[in-house]
Amino acid sequence: MRKWVAGACLLYVLYGLFFYWYLFMAGDSSVPEALKGTSADPATFMNERELMLTEDYSKIKDFLFFIRIPFEWFLFFILLIAGLSQKMKHWAEHTSKRRVIQIAAYVFGLFLIVTAASLPLDWISYRFSLDYGISTQTTASWIKDQVIDFWISFPLTAGAVIVFYWLMKRHEKRWWLYAWCLTVPVTLFLFFLQPVVIDPLYNDFYPLKNKKLEHDILKLADQADIPANHVYEVNMSEKTNALNAYVTGIGANKRIVLWDTTLNKLDEPEILFIMAHEMGHYVMKHVYIGLAGYLLLSLAGLYAVDRLYKWIISRHGRELHIKGGTDLAALPLLLLLIGVLTFAASPFSNAVSRHQEKAADQYAIELTENKKAAVATFQELSKAGLSEANPPLLVKIFKYGHPTIMERIQSVENALDQ
């Protein structure tokens, strides 16, 4: 056990050192010579202080992102190899004779451990965003969001685990397929509920107050043949200085949402460009395509989890203190595999997302025909969020669901020069 723990610790430290070296020493985020002095060059729209803050904050933020991802995997492995997961299972079995309550108790204990262990990293990330002027959120509000996250994630995860273990027991060979069949309606249902049930737990949403701007946005929507009666704004200025807008929900609960920071910091032509971008997602049905892609990817993922899960238990079950596939103590292994495969698939899903975002940008350019507003919007997005215009390659591959600011500005210039 000591060798396994020591090896896991060493691997995690080497992983962290690699990304520290890559982000702070080797990663290239410089502006290509051909773009220096153009509208895509941050030096043309940021002052020296903004450039320095952007570089420093981006490196810290990206480093925390990369070391946070495998931290839970490391924690799950330690729980398994040290036999702590088995002890947690025995404790859960003493809480009730009912299997459902035992699983819920185990998941609750596991969530408490993961939340407590991850809290320092999450707190450091919050404090850095506060120190660099990105976050405006009070400590009390931040804690409230952490509590909401816990009480949303815990029942959903507990319900999923209860169903998954029941399926494993009843259908050992095909549990992953039946589990996927159940995730389809559940995912659609949650996506339908998110705008009206989940999102309002974190922030206040209300119809756009600026009626003239709403009229202009709805007029733009009419040009795009989009049925729309309302645009919503959300009071994100209580939590951040960053800018954003998005489309969420499906069916009758579909919403176009503007952060109030976007309304406060951008001019109307720039806001209309952002709205045209979101309308592009609607017209090209990116929400539904994204949902379909997620569901297909989750089918392949569950199959891969099943194969790896059974292979690891057959080869290393004794070392990991796992008695079989339906052993509740094996849950950390299941979650570890899901996390690793999700991260491994992120370059593909991010690439698809960047393609959709680029298409939505192109649609917005064609709809508004306002090059100046498009360029100014991307520049303001970069300044408000202290986002690097040209991040290092690994950051882009694993983290960016949007094209980089430099790529987006270049696309505007190229589209309108043709």
Side-chain angles (χ1 to χ4, degrees), residues 83-116:
L84 297 176
S85 184
Q86 272 292 342
K87 292 180 180 179
M88 290 171 58
K89 185 195 75 170
H90 294 322
W91 163 79
E93 288 174 343
H94 284 88
T95 61
S96 174
K97 293 182 179 180
R98 299 186 64 182
R99 176 71 168 171
V100 169
I101 296 177
Q102 292 174 4
I103 293 176
Y106 179 93
V107 173
F108 184 78
L110 184 62
F111 260 62
L112 283 179
I113 291 173
V114 172
T115 300

Side-chain angles (χ1 to χ4, degrees), residues 86 88 107 223 328 353 413:
Q86 272 292 342
M88 290 171 58
V107 173
Q223 288 179 241
L328 184 57
S353 177
E413 302 284 9

